[in-house]
Amino acid sequence: MATLDTATGIISDRTREMTQQSVWRAMRPDDLGHVHAIGVHVHPSYPERIEVYQERLRLYPNGCYVFEINNEIYGYVISHPWHPMRPPKLDSLVVAMPTFPATFYIHDLALLPQARGNGAGAGAVDVLVDHAQAIGLADISLVAVNNSLPFWRGQGFETISDDAITATLSSYDDDAQFMVRTLDI
Ligand SMILES: CC(C)(COP(=O)(O)OP(=O)(O)OC[C@H]1O[C@@H](n2cnc3c(N)ncnc32)[C@H](O)[C@@H]1OP(=O)(O)O)[C@@H](O)C(=O)NCCC(=O)NCCS
């Protein structure tokens, strides 16, 4: 189980034998150049302007983390409270956080290939689940792309089909799936 040190913003995972130098820590504005470059590398088929990353970090810093190995950034997660069943389109600005959110939305979780397979992705999900529960949200949702559906299923997410979000999903591609994990609150 991953844990978040609220004083430092560092998330550590002691159950997966990760090295002491591997941490999720709070994202800072000066990380965004690296973060965007990783996004471009990992998601060449789903391009988003750096303004999208900047906006999410400005609107909800508590949902934005970077994954570091030996003080170098190898991945990131961007997430925030949101409206249920209304995933934002790819590369779109959301303007403001909802006054009455009902889901915790994972906008993106991306690791460079050399940082995968060691529990970092699952560790990020653990921390976001804890955070969503702490702020009283009943589920976590996301748009799964890039053949990541089996990973999300393994993290307890299920696909949801709804005609109302077809246009949004097609802003990603024909394989994009909306997924939800219900939380105990
Ligand atoms: C998807 C991603 C975040 C997973 O992170 P990760 O750190 O490699 O995953 P973990 O090591 O935490 O794996 C957790 C579990 O999921 C499994 N898993 C990971 N990726 C998987 C995949 N693509 N398909 C099936 N299972 C997968 C692991 O085997 C592990 O299983 P276990 O608990 O039985 O050991 C990472 O592969 C990635 O960044 N991919 C590219 C970007 C991407 O597609 N992001 C999702 C966009 S919606």
Side-chain angles (χ1 to χ4, degrees), residues 20-127:
Q20 287 185 329
Q21 291 80 24
S22 300
V23 292
W24 283 102
R25 67 154 172 84
M27 190 186 292
R28 302 185 297 253
D30 64 354
D31 295 324
L32 283 168
H34 278 100
V35 166
H36 187 248
I38 290 171
V40 169
H41 182 81
V42 171
H43 292 307
S45 304
Y46 313 101
E48 291 198 300
R49 293 160 291 161
I50 195 168
E51 287 81 0
V52 173
Y53 294 67
Q54 287 167 335
E55 184 201 53
R56 302 307 200 275
L57 178 59
R58 177 173 55 80
L59 292 176
Y60 203 74
N62 285 345
C64 300
Y65 295 92
V66 293
F67 184 66
E68 282 190 339
I69 303 173
N70 296 333
N71 299 316
E72 283 193 41
I73 298 174
Y74 281 79
Y76 64 86
V77 63
I78 294 175
S79 59
H80 54 84
W82 198 236
H83 307 283
M85 300 299 297
R86 278 173 52 191
K89 285 187 176 173
L90 180 69
D91 197 35
S92 63
L93 298 175
V94 295
V95 183
M97 288 295 106
T99 308
F100 301 107
T103 188
F104 196 73
Y105 183 74
I106 302 179
H107 174 79
D108 194 9
L109 168 61
L111 297 165
L112 290 172
Q114 55 270 50
R116 296 176 195 165
N118 284 309
V125 174
D126 286 345
V127 169

Side-chain angles (χ1 to χ4, degrees), residues 145-168:
V145 295
N146 215 17
N147 299 314
S148 62
L149 198 111
F151 167 77
W152 294 114
R153 281 217 178 99
Q155 300 303 310
F157 289 77
E158 294 176 1
T159 53
I160 304 268
S161 298
D162 190 311
D163 290 346
I165 53 176
T166 303
T168 295

